C-alpha cells in the first residue's frame, strides 16, 4: 500500500539528478504522419488492450508522486485521439503532490476538446506548429490540416490556459523559410515559440546530421530580422530550452539536443503508452510497469521499478559519440517531447 511506502527516498540518479518530471504517453496512434516521427505507412501500432487504462496510469502516477514527481506532461502519439482523455486529465489533476499538468499536442483536435481539457484541470499546453504554409504542412505531416491546427490554437487561447507554447521541429531544407513567419505569428498572438532540433528518432530512420538545422543558425536569422536577442532568465535549471528575449521583451526559445546536449540537468522520466518506464528518449532499456500493474504487484513493487530505472540512467544520450545506437523505438512509440 502507498501509505506504507518509504517516501523519504526521492528519485536521485547516480549523477545527482533529482527526477521530478514524468512524461506520460497515452497512445502511440496519431491522426497525421510527420516524417520526423512516424513511418508514412503501416505504422506498427500496439493492440489497444496493451495500452494502460486510465486507472493504471493514475495508479502509476500516485506512486511516482509519492517518490517526488511533481510535474506531468501528457503526450503520445497524439494524445487527443485517445478516447475520453479529459477523464484522465481529471484523475491526474487530483493526484496529491502533482502541481503542474501539461500536454503536448499537434492541435488538430484541440478546437473541439480545449474547453473540456481546461475544465478537467489541464494547466498548460505545447502545440506543435512547424510551418505557416499548408503545402509545407502536408510535406511534413503527409496529411492536410494546418487550418485545423490554427483553429485549435485560437480556441486554446480563448480557454485561457496558464501558458501556451508553440513547438517547431527545425529541419534543414524546410524550416529556413518558416523561421520569420512562425516568429511573427507567435509574437502577434503572445505565445512563446521554441525551435527543436531534429533528433534521430524518426520512424523511417532517415535522420542524418546534415538535416539538423542548429538553433544557433535560427537565432542568427531571427536577429537579422528582429534585432538583438538577449538571454532570458532561467527559473528552472532543468529546462531543456534556452530562452531569449526580443527587443520588445517577448520570448523565443531553442531546444538544441543535438548541437548543445542538456543531459547533465535532465530530470525527466517517461512511461510509454503500454507501460514501459524509460529514463531517456534515447534509452535502449525499459522497465516493465505494466507487468506489475496487471500481475497483482504492490505499490512498493512499482516504486522499485521506478527507482531501478532512475538508478540506471546514463550521463547523456550520446548522439554525438562514435558508438551511438539509435533506440529501437521511434518518437511516436516513446512519448515524445523534450520540452518542459
Ligand atoms: N503528437 C503530439 C505533437 O506532435 O505535438 C505529441 C507527441 S510528439 C512525438 C511530441 C513532440 O516531439 C512534438 O513537438 C514533435 O514535433 C516532436 N518531435 C517528434 N519527432 C521528433 C524528432 N525526431 N526530433 C525532434 N522533435 C520531434
Ligand atoms: Fe503525430 Fe506528433 Fe508524431 Fe507528428 S510528431 S506524427 S503529430 S505523434
Amino acid at each position: 500500500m502507498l501509505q506504507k511506502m518509504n517516501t523519504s527516498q526521492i528519485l536521485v540518479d547516480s549523477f545527482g539528478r533529482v527526477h521530478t518530471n514524468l512524461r506520460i504517453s497515452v497512445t502511440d496512434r496519431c491522426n497525421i504522419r510527420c516524417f520526423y516521427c512516424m513511418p508514412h505507412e503501416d505504422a506498427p501500432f500496439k493492440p489497444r488492450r496493451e495500452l494502460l487504462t486510465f486507472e493504471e496510469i493514475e495508479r502509476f502516477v500516485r506512486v511516482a508522486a509519492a517518490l517526488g514527481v511533481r510535474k506531468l506532461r501528457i503526450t503520445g502519439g497524439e494524445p487527443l485521439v485517445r478516447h475520453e482523455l479529459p477523464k484522465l486529465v481529471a484523475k491526474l489533476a487530483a493526484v496529491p503532490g502533482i502541481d503542474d499538468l501539461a500536454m503536448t499536442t499537434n492541435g488538430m483536435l484541440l478546437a473541439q476538446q480545449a474547453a473540456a481539457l481546461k475544465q478537467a484541470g489541464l494547466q498548460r499546453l505545447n502545440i506543435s506548429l512547424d510551418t505557416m504554409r499548408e503545402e509545407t504542412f502536408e510535406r511534413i505531416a503527409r496529411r492536410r490540416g494546418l487550418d485545423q491546427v490554427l483553429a485549435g490554437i485560437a480556441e486554446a487561447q480563448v480557454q485561457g490556459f496558464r501558458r501556451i507554447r508553440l513547438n517547431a521541429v527545425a529541419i534543414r531544407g524546410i524550416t529556413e523559410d518558416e523561421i520569420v513567419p512562425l516568429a511573427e505569428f507567435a509574437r502577434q498572438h503572445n505565445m512563446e515559440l521554441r525551435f527543436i532540433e531534429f533528433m534521430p528518432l524518426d520512424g523511417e530512420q532517415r535522420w542524418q546530421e546534415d538535416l539538423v538545422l542548429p538553433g544557433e543558425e535560427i537565432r542568427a536569422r531571427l536577429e537579422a530580422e528582429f534585432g538583438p536577442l538577449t538571454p532570458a532568465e532561467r527559473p528552472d535549471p532543468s529546462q531543456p530550452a534556452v530562452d531569449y528575449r526580443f527587443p520588445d521583451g517577448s520570448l523565443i526559445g531553442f531546444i538544441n539536443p543535438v548541437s548543445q546536449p542538456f543531459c547533465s540537468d535532465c530530470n525527466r522520466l517517461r512511461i510509454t503508452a503500454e507501460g514501459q518506464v524509460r529514463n531517456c528518449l534515447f534509452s535502449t532499456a525499459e522497465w516493465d510497469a505494466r507487468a506489475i500493474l496487471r500481475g497483482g504487484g504492490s505499490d512498493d513493487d512499482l516504486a522499485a521499478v521506478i527507482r531501478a530505472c532512475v538508478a540506471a540512467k546514463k550521463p547523456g544520450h550520446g548522439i554525438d559519440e562514435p558508438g551511438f545506437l539509435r533506440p529501437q523505438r521511434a518518437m511516436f512509440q516513446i512519448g515524445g517531447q523534450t520540452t518542459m
Side-chain angles (χ1 to χ4, degrees), residues 203-217:
E204 287 164 356
Q205 307 221 351
R206 294 205 179 148
W207 183 91
Q208 299 173 42
E209 204 159 349
D210 57 11
L211 291 174
V212 177
L213 180 63
E216 282 301 285
E217 221 175 294

Side-chain angles (χ1 to χ4, degrees), residues 24 26 52-61 88 92:
I24 303 165
V26 294
L52 294 190
T53 63
F54 289 173
E55 290 69 29
E56 288 167 339
I57 295 173
E58 181 191 8
R59 183 174 165 210
F60 181 86
V61 167
L88 175 67
L92 300 184

